[in-house]
Each structure stands twice: as C-alpha cells, then as structure tokens.
Amino acid sequence: MFKSFFENVIKPKDSFGGRLMLKSMNKGHEKLAKWGRSYLEIKKDDIILDLGCGGGRNIEYFLTKANKVYGIDYSKTSVEMASFLNKEAIKEGRCKIIEADAKNIPFQEKSIDIISAFETIYFWDNIEECFKEIYRVLKDGGIFLICNEGAFKEEKNIKKWQELLNFTVYSPTDLEKMLTKLGFTCQYHLDRKKQLVFIGKK
C-alpha cells in the first residue's frame, strides 16, 4: 500500500492517490521549480514545451511569460489535471497538453524555443533517445532546462527515494556527456542542498 501510493510519483494513476500526489507535487516542488525557472530568459513570442508536466504548475507559470505553451505527460491523469488547471489558456488557444512520451515528442523539427523537464528525467526509459528527440524539436539556439532535486545518487535523501522507487539519478557529468555528444553546450548550477539546474543550449 505504501509503495503503491508513492509509485504515483513515477506515473500518477486515475485514483485518489494519483490526484493527491499531483496536487502535492504542484505545491511541494514549487520552490525548486521557481529556482530552476529563474535561469530562463523567456520572451513573449517563445514557444515552450514542458516535458513530464505533472499537475501543470510550471505550465501555469510559463503562460504568464509566453503566448504559447505546450505540455506532455505519459500519465492520462496528469494530462487531465494539468489541462484543468490551465483550462482558460487552452480555451484561448494558447496552451495544449498532450498524452505522449518523451521518446516520441509529437512536434515538428526545430519548432520549440524552450523545453523544460522538472523532476522527471529520473523516470525516462532510454534517456539518450529522449535527448535526441529534444534536440530534434528545439530550434537552433533553443534551451533545454533540467531541474532535479537529486543530482548525486549518494545523497541521503535521494538515495532513500531511489531505493523505494528504483529510478535513475543522473549526475551533472552524466548529463553533460550525453548532451554534448548531441551538440548541446552545457552549464549547470548546484545549490547548498545539491539540487540541480542543468541548461543545454542547442
């Protein structure tokens, strides 16, 4: 029962527990997400895509800065909750949230200015294929932002979650190797808690 509830971190289910987890993540991740978003210089005409959008809080923020924001998530429940949170922008045609996977991003080549991934890459299957897709859909000069609570698997807090849910923690060095191989130029920032903001520029 305990583990089943926390598996909603990976892919929220259509259940009370799944919806509760999404609401908790919208609130609980906001401080970290705010720090991550502070590294973005967003222009009104930027097109933004949030991968693994969860409950939609980051989309809600991006809509205050840019005219067009998309989200994708492989959880149908996440898509439903994120769509409800951002329903006015969806009605206005400024936002669309799609059930999809990061390995097969349903956007044209060089169509997105900024792609973000908040607390989600831990759970991606075949992450290098996902990164290839991100590189494909980003415009030249586009930005890929990763924001993670855990940057090192040895950290006590992240190790506890990793053991419970069996996900993968990528260090800044891991990410830099994979992304520079594709053609990104990379930089990263760590705070005193060893939380990570990683930025790849195409």
Side-chain angles (χ1 to χ4, degrees):
M1 181 73 175
F2 177 79
K3 185 176 180 181
S4 176
F5 171 72
F6 283 103
E7 283 173 346
N8 285 294
V9 170
I10 301 172
K11 188 174 185 180
K13 303 178 185 72
D14 184 16
S15 62
F16 173 78
R19 290 185 287 274
L20 178 63
M21 182 62 73
L22 285 166
K23 288 179 182 177
S24 299
M25 288 192 292
N26 271 355
K27 186 175 180 181
H29 291 168
E30 177 59 17
K31 187 175 180 181
L32 174 65
K34 185 177 180 181
W35 176 56
R37 296 187 307 247
S38 72
Y39 289 94
L40 294 173
E41 295 180 8
I42 301 170
K43 301 186 292 293
K44 212 59 175 165
D45 61 350
D46 280 338
I47 299 171
I48 301 176
L49 170 61
D50 187 34
L51 295 177
C53 64
R57 167 60 191 131
N58 288 300
I59 292 173
E60 183 182 42
Y61 169 81
F62 288 140
L63 284 162
T64 68
K65 301 291 183 180
N67 289 327
K68 199 79 172 179
V69 181
Y70 296 99
I72 72 169
D73 202 291
Y74 69 170
S75 160
K76 182 180 179 182
T77 305
S78 294
V79 171
E80 289 171 354
M81 286 195 66
S83 297
F84 181 77
L85 182 64
N86 297 286
K87 60 184 182 294
E88 293 305 319
I90 291 171
K91 285 180 190 174
E92 293 164 3
R94 297 179 53 224
C95 180
K96 189 171 184 180
I97 302 171
I98 304 160
E99 186 178 349
D101 193 285
K103 290 196 298 292
N104 187 20
I105 299 173
F107 290 90
Q108 292 182 344
E109 185 177 334
K110 298 183 180 182
S111 60
I112 307 293
D113 295 286
I114 297 170
I115 295 179
S116 59
F118 293 89
E119 287 283 271
T120 184
I121 68 165
Y122 313 114
F123 314 121
W124 292 358
D125 293 328
N126 200 338
I127 194 167
E128 294 195 58
E129 288 302 309
C130 298
F131 287 165
K132 285 179 186 176
E133 272 290 90
I134 289 163
Y135 191 85
R136 180 185 67 81
V137 301
L138 269 177
K139 295 178 183 178
D140 292 338
I143 297 295
F144 175 36
L145 172 78
I146 298 168
C147 189
N148 280 352
E149 183 179 347
F152 302 99
K153 61 185 178 183
E154 299 83 7
E155 290 295 312
K156 185 177 179 181
N157 185 50
I158 202 71
K159 190 175 182 180
K160 174 184 69 178
W161 283 100
Q162 189 182 14
E163 287 170 356
L164 176 65
L165 298 174
N166 191 31
F167 59 82
T168 305
V169 178
Y170 299 96
S171 72
T173 303
D174 296 331
L175 295 173
E176 192 167 32
K177 282 180 182 175
M178 289 186 279
L179 291 169
T180 54
K181 188 167 67 174
L182 292 172
F184 284 98
T185 57
C186 302
Q187 61 173 287
Y188 65 89
H189 308 272
L190 295 167
D191 69 3
R192 60 183 178 80
K193 295 180 181 178
K194 301 291 178 66
Q195 297 180 124
L196 172 69
V197 171
F198 193 99
I199 299 162
K201 184 175 182 180
K202 181 176 176 180

PDB file of all heavy atoms in Angstrom, residues 10 12-13 26 29 33 46 60 68 97 103 112 119 125 137-139 144 147 149 152 158 172 182-183 190 195 197:
ATOM      1  N   ILE A  10       6.033   8.379 -10.117  1.00  0.00           N
ATOM      2  CA  ILE A  10       6.539   8.000 -11.436  1.00  0.00           C
ATOM      3  C   ILE A  10       5.480   8.202 -12.515  1.00  0.00           C
ATOM      4  O   ILE A  10       5.729   8.840 -13.543  1.00  0.00           O
ATOM      5  CB  ILE A  10       7.010   6.528 -11.424  1.00  0.00           C
ATOM      6  CG1 ILE A  10       8.114   6.347 -10.378  1.00  0.00           C
ATOM      7  CG2 ILE A  10       7.491   6.098 -12.798  1.00  0.00           C
ATOM      8  CD1 ILE A  10       8.514   4.903 -10.158  1.00  0.00           C
ATOM      9  N   PRO A  12       1.370   9.022 -12.220  1.00  0.00           N
ATOM     10  CA  PRO A  12       0.135   9.140 -11.434  1.00  0.00           C
ATOM     11  C   PRO A  12      -1.024   8.370 -12.066  1.00  0.00           C
ATOM     12  O   PRO A  12      -1.248   8.445 -13.275  1.00  0.00           O
ATOM     13  CB  PRO A  12      -0.129  10.649 -11.423  1.00  0.00           C
ATOM     14  CG  PRO A  12       1.231  11.256 -11.592  1.00  0.00           C
ATOM     15  CD  PRO A  12       1.956  10.333 -12.520  1.00  0.00           C
ATOM     16  N   LYS A  13      -1.719   7.627 -11.236  1.00  0.00           N
ATOM     17  CA  LYS A  13      -2.839   6.810 -11.703  1.00  0.00           C
ATOM     18  C   LYS A  13      -4.157   7.580 -11.557  1.00  0.00           C
ATOM     19  O   LYS A  13      -4.235   8.570 -10.837  1.00  0.00           O
ATOM     20  CB  LYS A  13      -2.908   5.518 -10.889  1.00  0.00           C
ATOM     21  CG  LYS A  13      -1.637   4.683 -10.923  1.00  0.00           C
ATOM     22  CD  LYS A  13      -1.788   3.454 -10.045  1.00  0.00           C
ATOM     23  CE  LYS A  13      -0.499   2.652  -9.964  1.00  0.00           C
ATOM     24  NZ  LYS A  13       0.536   3.322  -9.143  1.00  0.00           N
ATOM     25  N   ASN A  26       2.569  19.778  -7.285  1.00  0.00           N
ATOM     26  CA  ASN A  26       2.413  21.171  -7.712  1.00  0.00           C
ATOM     27  C   ASN A  26       2.860  22.131  -6.614  1.00  0.00           C
ATOM     28  O   ASN A  26       3.548  23.116  -6.872  1.00  0.00           O
ATOM     29  CB  ASN A  26       0.946  21.461  -8.068  1.00  0.00           C
ATOM     30  CG  ASN A  26       0.627  21.176  -9.526  1.00  0.00           C
ATOM     31  OD1 ASN A  26       1.502  20.840 -10.317  1.00  0.00           O
ATOM     32  ND2 ASN A  26      -0.640  21.302  -9.872  1.00  0.00           N
ATOM     33  N   HIS A  29       6.920  21.046  -5.104  1.00  0.00           N
ATOM     34  CA  HIS A  29       8.062  21.283  -5.985  1.00  0.00           C
ATOM     35  C   HIS A  29       8.220  22.747  -6.381  1.00  0.00           C
ATOM     36  O   HIS A  29       9.168  23.080  -7.091  1.00  0.00           O
ATOM     37  CB  HIS A  29       7.913  20.457  -7.273  1.00  0.00           C
ATOM     38  CG  HIS A  29       8.062  18.980  -7.072  1.00  0.00           C
ATOM     39  ND1 HIS A  29       7.723  18.064  -8.039  1.00  0.00           N
ATOM     40  CD2 HIS A  29       8.522  18.258  -6.025  1.00  0.00           C
ATOM     41  CE1 HIS A  29       7.968  16.847  -7.594  1.00  0.00           C
ATOM     42  NE2 HIS A  29       8.442  16.934  -6.372  1.00  0.00           N
ATOM     43  N   ALA A  33      11.239  24.488  -8.422  1.00  0.00           N
ATOM     44  CA  ALA A  33      10.916  24.891  -9.790  1.00  0.00           C
ATOM     45  C   ALA A  33      11.140  26.388 -10.000  1.00  0.00           C
ATOM     46  O   ALA A  33      11.639  26.810 -11.052  1.00  0.00           O
ATOM     47  CB  ALA A  33       9.473  24.522 -10.116  1.00  0.00           C
ATOM     48  N   ASP A  46       8.185  33.324 -27.362  1.00  0.00           N
ATOM     49  CA  ASP A  46       8.777  31.994 -27.230  1.00  0.00           C
ATOM     50  C   ASP A  46       7.684  30.920 -27.217  1.00  0.00           C
ATOM     51  O   ASP A  46       6.597  31.130 -26.657  1.00  0.00           O
ATOM     52  CB  ASP A  46       9.589  31.877 -25.936  1.00  0.00           C
ATOM     53  CG  ASP A  46      10.975  32.492 -26.053  1.00  0.00           C
ATOM     54  OD1 ASP A  46      11.481  32.642 -27.188  1.00  0.00           O
ATOM     55  OD2 ASP A  46      11.555  32.825 -24.997  1.00  0.00           O
ATOM     56  N   GLU A  60       1.405  26.648 -15.952  1.00  0.00           N
ATOM     57  CA  GLU A  60       0.676  27.833 -15.459  1.00  0.00           C
ATOM     58  C   GLU A  60       1.617  29.032 -15.347  1.00  0.00           C
ATOM     59  O   GLU A  60       1.274  30.156 -15.754  1.00  0.00           O
ATOM     60  CB  GLU A  60       0.047  27.511 -14.102  1.00  0.00           C
ATOM     61  CG  GLU A  60      -0.784  28.648 -13.528  1.00  0.00           C
ATOM     62  CD  GLU A  60      -1.335  28.296 -12.158  1.00  0.00           C
ATOM     63  OE1 GLU A  60      -0.591  27.703 -11.335  1.00  0.00           O
ATOM     64  OE2 GLU A  60      -2.505  28.619 -11.904  1.00  0.00           O
ATOM     65  N   LYS A  68       2.547  31.026 -26.005  1.00  0.00           N
ATOM     66  CA  LYS A  68       2.227  29.662 -26.434  1.00  0.00           C
ATOM     67  C   LYS A  68       3.007  28.658 -25.597  1.00  0.00           C
ATOM     68  O   LYS A  68       4.244  28.663 -25.591  1.00  0.00           O
ATOM     69  CB  LYS A  68       2.605  29.498 -27.909  1.00  0.00           C
ATOM     70  CG  LYS A  68       1.926  28.336 -28.586  1.00  0.00           C
ATOM     71  CD  LYS A  68       0.491  28.694 -28.959  1.00  0.00           C
ATOM     72  CE  LYS A  68      -0.138  27.617 -29.816  1.00  0.00           C
ATOM     73  NZ  LYS A  68      -1.524  27.954 -30.163  1.00  0.00           N
ATOM     74  N   ILE A  97      -2.135  20.441 -23.950  1.00  0.00           N
ATOM     75  CA  ILE A  97      -1.466  19.438 -23.123  1.00  0.00           C
ATOM     76  C   ILE A  97      -1.843  18.061 -23.665  1.00  0.00           C
ATOM     77  O   ILE A  97      -3.017  17.752 -23.831  1.00  0.00           O
ATOM     78  CB  ILE A  97      -1.846  19.605 -21.636  1.00  0.00           C
ATOM     79  CG1 ILE A  97      -1.454  21.020 -21.176  1.00  0.00           C
ATOM     80  CG2 ILE A  97      -1.146  18.551 -20.786  1.00  0.00           C
ATOM     81  CD1 ILE A  97      -1.967  21.403 -19.808  1.00  0.00           C
ATOM     82  N   LYS A 103      10.144   9.942 -25.636  1.00  0.00           N
ATOM     83  CA  LYS A 103      10.881   9.256 -26.707  1.00  0.00           C
ATOM     84  C   LYS A 103      10.276   9.549 -28.080  1.00  0.00           C
ATOM     85  O   LYS A 103      10.884   9.253 -29.103  1.00  0.00           O
ATOM     86  CB  LYS A 103      10.891   7.742 -26.474  1.00  0.00           C
ATOM     87  CG  LYS A 103      11.743   7.283 -25.315  1.00  0.00           C
ATOM     88  CD  LYS A 103      12.028   5.790 -25.373  1.00  0.00           C
ATOM     89  CE  LYS A 103      10.786   4.939 -25.295  1.00  0.00           C
ATOM     90  NZ  LYS A 103      10.127   4.994 -23.980  1.00  0.00           N
ATOM     91  N   ILE A 112      10.402  24.430 -31.285  1.00  0.00           N
ATOM     92  CA  ILE A 112      10.253  24.849 -29.889  1.00  0.00           C
ATOM     93  C   ILE A 112      11.466  25.678 -29.453  1.00  0.00           C
ATOM     94  O   ILE A 112      12.597  25.334 -29.749  1.00  0.00           O
ATOM     95  CB  ILE A 112      10.109  23.625 -28.956  1.00  0.00           C
ATOM     96  CG1 ILE A 112       8.983  22.693 -29.418  1.00  0.00           C
ATOM     97  CG2 ILE A 112       9.893  24.069 -27.508  1.00  0.00           C
ATOM     98  CD1 ILE A 112       7.589  23.262 -29.307  1.00  0.00           C
ATOM     99  N   GLU A 119      11.956  17.536 -12.405  1.00  0.00           N
ATOM    100  CA  GLU A 119      11.794  16.341 -11.570  1.00  0.00           C
ATOM    101  C   GLU A 119      11.205  15.159 -12.355  1.00  0.00           C
ATOM    102  O   GLU A 119      10.311  14.477 -11.872  1.00  0.00           O
ATOM    103  CB  GLU A 119      10.884  16.684 -10.383  1.00  0.00           C
ATOM    104  CG  GLU A 119      11.546  17.553  -9.320  1.00  0.00           C
ATOM    105  CD  GLU A 119      12.486  16.757  -8.443  1.00  0.00           C
ATOM    106  OE1 GLU A 119      12.027  16.211  -7.427  1.00  0.00           O
ATOM    107  OE2 GLU A 119      13.678  16.683  -8.794  1.00  0.00           O
ATOM    108  N   ASP A 125      12.602   6.053 -19.783  1.00  0.00           N
ATOM    109  CA  ASP A 125      13.239   4.888 -20.391  1.00  0.00           C
ATOM    110  C   ASP A 125      14.092   5.350 -21.570  1.00  0.00           C
ATOM    111  O   ASP A 125      13.667   6.207 -22.349  1.00  0.00           O
ATOM    112  CB  ASP A 125      12.180   3.902 -20.914  1.00  0.00           C
ATOM    113  CG  ASP A 125      11.387   3.268 -19.788  1.00  0.00           C
ATOM    114  OD1 ASP A 125      11.973   3.077 -18.697  1.00  0.00           O
ATOM    115  OD2 ASP A 125      10.194   2.984 -19.985  1.00  0.00           O
ATOM    116  N   VAL A 137      13.487  18.665 -31.829  1.00  0.00           N
ATOM    117  CA  VAL A 137      12.376  19.623 -31.870  1.00  0.00           C
ATOM    118  C   VAL A 137      12.782  21.041 -31.435  1.00  0.00           C
ATOM    119  O   VAL A 137      12.054  21.994 -31.678  1.00  0.00           O
ATOM    120  CB  VAL A 137      11.158  19.138 -31.047  1.00  0.00           C
ATOM    121  CG1 VAL A 137      10.659  17.814 -31.567  1.00  0.00           C
ATOM    122  CG2 VAL A 137      11.468  19.045 -29.564  1.00  0.00           C
ATOM    123  N   LEU A 138      13.946  21.180 -30.796  1.00  0.00           N
ATOM    124  CA  LEU A 138      14.406  22.516 -30.410  1.00  0.00           C
ATOM    125  C   LEU A 138      14.883  23.304 -31.629  1.00  0.00           C
ATOM    126  O   LEU A 138      15.545  22.771 -32.516  1.00  0.00           O
ATOM    127  CB  LEU A 138      15.564  22.425 -29.420  1.00  0.00           C
ATOM    128  CG  LEU A 138      15.245  22.406 -27.930  1.00  0.00           C
ATOM    129  CD1 LEU A 138      16.542  22.247 -27.140  1.00  0.00           C
ATOM    130  CD2 LEU A 138      14.503  23.646 -27.466  1.00  0.00           C
ATOM    131  N   LYS A 139      14.567  24.583 -31.627  1.00  0.00           N
ATOM    132  CA  LYS A 139      15.122  25.474 -32.632  1.00  0.00           C
ATOM    133  C   LYS A 139      16.620  25.655 -32.387  1.00  0.00           C
ATOM    134  O   LYS A 139      17.102  25.459 -31.259  1.00  0.00           O
ATOM    135  CB  LYS A 139      14.443  26.847 -32.552  1.00  0.00           C
ATOM    136  CG  LYS A 139      12.960  26.828 -32.897  1.00  0.00           C
ATOM    137  CD  LYS A 139      12.366  28.216 -32.736  1.00  0.00           C
ATOM    138  CE  LYS A 139      10.871  28.229 -33.012  1.00  0.00           C
ATOM    139  NZ  LYS A 139      10.276  29.580 -32.816  1.00  0.00           N
ATOM    140  N   PHE A 144      17.285  23.797 -23.363  1.00  0.00           N
ATOM    141  CA  PHE A 144      16.736  22.644 -22.651  1.00  0.00           C
ATOM    142  C   PHE A 144      17.112  22.777 -21.177  1.00  0.00           C
ATOM    143  O   PHE A 144      18.286  22.790 -20.826  1.00  0.00           O
ATOM    144  CB  PHE A 144      17.295  21.347 -23.238  1.00  0.00           C
ATOM    145  CG  PHE A 144      16.889  20.096 -22.511  1.00  0.00           C
ATOM    146  CD1 PHE A 144      15.633  19.950 -21.948  1.00  0.00           C
ATOM    147  CD2 PHE A 144      17.780  19.015 -22.417  1.00  0.00           C
ATOM    148  CE1 PHE A 144      15.266  18.783 -21.292  1.00  0.00           C
ATOM    149  CE2 PHE A 144      17.420  17.844 -21.773  1.00  0.00           C
ATOM    150  CZ  PHE A 144      16.163  17.729 -21.203  1.00  0.00           C
ATOM    151  N   CYS A 147      15.642  20.416 -14.186  1.00  0.00           N
ATOM    152  CA  CYS A 147      15.653  20.838 -12.782  1.00  0.00           C
ATOM    153  C   CYS A 147      15.339  19.625 -11.917  1.00  0.00           C
ATOM    154  O   CYS A 147      14.251  19.051 -12.025  1.00  0.00           O
ATOM    155  CB  CYS A 147      14.613  21.947 -12.580  1.00  0.00           C
ATOM    156  SG  CYS A 147      14.686  22.727 -10.966  1.00  0.00           S
ATOM    157  N   GLU A 149      15.744  17.634  -7.970  1.00  0.00           N
ATOM    158  CA  GLU A 149      16.064  17.671  -6.540  1.00  0.00           C
ATOM    159  C   GLU A 149      17.328  16.870  -6.256  1.00  0.00           C
ATOM    160  O   GLU A 149      18.104  17.216  -5.376  1.00  0.00           O
ATOM    161  CB  GLU A 149      14.896  17.109  -5.743  1.00  0.00           C
ATOM    162  CG  GLU A 149      15.097  17.175  -4.247  1.00  0.00           C
ATOM    163  CD  GLU A 149      13.911  16.630  -3.476  1.00  0.00           C
ATOM    164  OE1 GLU A 149      12.838  16.434  -4.070  1.00  0.00           O
ATOM    165  OE2 GLU A 149      14.070  16.386  -2.265  1.00  0.00           O
ATOM    166  N   PHE A 152      23.010  13.645  -7.240  1.00  0.00           N
ATOM    167  CA  PHE A 152      24.006  12.624  -6.919  1.00  0.00           C
ATOM    168  C   PHE A 152      23.320  11.486  -6.165  1.00  0.00           C
ATOM    169  O   PHE A 152      22.670  11.721  -5.140  1.00  0.00           O
ATOM    170  CB  PHE A 152      25.135  13.213  -6.066  1.00  0.00           C
ATOM    171  CG  PHE A 152      25.839  14.370  -6.723  1.00  0.00           C
ATOM    172  CD1 PHE A 152      25.505  15.676  -6.389  1.00  0.00           C
ATOM    173  CD2 PHE A 152      26.809  14.150  -7.696  1.00  0.00           C
ATOM    174  CE1 PHE A 152      26.129  16.749  -6.999  1.00  0.00           C
ATOM    175  CE2 PHE A 152      27.443  15.220  -8.317  1.00  0.00           C
ATOM    176  CZ  PHE A 152      27.107  16.515  -7.975  1.00  0.00           C
ATOM    177  N   ILE A 158      17.942  11.564  -1.642  1.00  0.00           N
ATOM    178  CA  ILE A 158      17.636  10.981  -2.953  1.00  0.00           C
ATOM    179  C   ILE A 158      17.860   9.475  -2.956  1.00  0.00           C
ATOM    180  O   ILE A 158      17.144   8.722  -3.614  1.00  0.00           O
ATOM    181  CB  ILE A 158      18.438  11.686  -4.073  1.00  0.00           C
ATOM    182  CG1 ILE A 158      17.745  11.468  -5.427  1.00  0.00           C
ATOM    183  CG2 ILE A 158      19.865  11.216  -4.134  1.00  0.00           C
ATOM    184  CD1 ILE A 158      16.454  12.220  -5.572  1.00  0.00           C
ATOM    185  N   PRO A 172      25.550  15.729 -12.908  1.00  0.00           N
ATOM    186  CA  PRO A 172      25.848  16.733 -13.930  1.00  0.00           C
ATOM    187  C   PRO A 172      26.820  16.219 -14.994  1.00  0.00           C
ATOM    188  O   PRO A 172      26.666  16.522 -16.177  1.00  0.00           O
ATOM    189  CB  PRO A 172      26.447  17.888 -13.123  1.00  0.00           C
ATOM    190  CG  PRO A 172      25.884  17.733 -11.753  1.00  0.00           C
ATOM    191  CD  PRO A 172      25.741  16.263 -11.546  1.00  0.00           C
ATOM    192  N   LEU A 182      25.396  15.179 -28.415  1.00  0.00           N
ATOM    193  CA  LEU A 182      24.353  15.522 -29.383  1.00  0.00           C
ATOM    194  C   LEU A 182      24.568  16.887 -30.021  1.00  0.00           C
ATOM    195  O   LEU A 182      23.985  17.180 -31.067  1.00  0.00           O
ATOM    196  CB  LEU A 182      22.980  15.504 -28.701  1.00  0.00           C
ATOM    197  CG  LEU A 182      22.463  14.144 -28.252  1.00  0.00           C
ATOM    198  CD1 LEU A 182      21.196  14.312 -27.430  1.00  0.00           C
ATOM    199  CD2 LEU A 182      22.212  13.251 -29.448  1.00  0.00           C
ATOM    200  N   GLY A 183      25.380  17.735 -29.376  1.00  0.00           N
ATOM    201  CA  GLY A 183      25.619  19.064 -29.924  1.00  0.00           C
ATOM    202  C   GLY A 183      25.215  20.209 -29.021  1.00  0.00           C
ATOM    203  O   GLY A 183      25.314  21.376 -29.403  1.00  0.00           O
ATOM    204  N   LEU A 190      24.400  24.136  -8.866  1.00  0.00           N
ATOM    205  CA  LEU A 190      24.007  23.356  -7.695  1.00  0.00           C
ATOM    206  C   LEU A 190      23.771  24.311  -6.535  1.00  0.00           C
ATOM    207  O   LEU A 190      24.533  25.257  -6.344  1.00  0.00           O
ATOM    208  CB  LEU A 190      25.100  22.360  -7.307  1.00  0.00           C
ATOM    209  CG  LEU A 190      25.410  21.245  -8.310  1.00  0.00           C
ATOM    210  CD1 LEU A 190      26.712  20.555  -7.931  1.00  0.00           C
ATOM    211  CD2 LEU A 190      24.270  20.237  -8.370  1.00  0.00           C
ATOM    212  N   GLN A 195      20.852  20.368  -5.068  1.00  0.00           N
ATOM    213  CA  GLN A 195      19.815  20.331  -6.084  1.00  0.00           C
ATOM    214  C   GLN A 195      20.397  20.919  -7.372  1.00  0.00           C
ATOM    215  O   GLN A 195      21.309  21.735  -7.327  1.00  0.00           O
ATOM    216  CB  GLN A 195      18.577  21.105  -5.628  1.00  0.00           C
ATOM    217  CG  GLN A 195      17.938  20.481  -4.400  1.00  0.00           C
ATOM    218  CD  GLN A 195      16.707  21.223  -3.926  1.00  0.00           C
ATOM    219  OE1 GLN A 195      15.641  20.658  -3.795  1.00  0.00           O
ATOM    220  NE2 GLN A 195      16.846  22.505  -3.660  1.00  0.00           N
ATOM    221  N   VAL A 197      20.176  22.547 -11.355  1.00  0.00           N
ATOM    222  CA  VAL A 197      19.632  23.151 -12.575  1.00  0.00           C
ATOM    223  C   VAL A 197      20.674  22.941 -13.666  1.00  0.00           C
ATOM    224  O   VAL A 197      21.831  23.346 -13.521  1.00  0.00           O
ATOM    225  CB  VAL A 197      19.344  24.656 -12.398  1.00  0.00           C
ATOM    226  CG1 VAL A 197      18.991  25.287 -13.742  1.00  0.00           C
ATOM    227  CG2 VAL A 197      18.212  24.879 -11.414  1.00  0.00           C
TER     228      VAL A 197
END
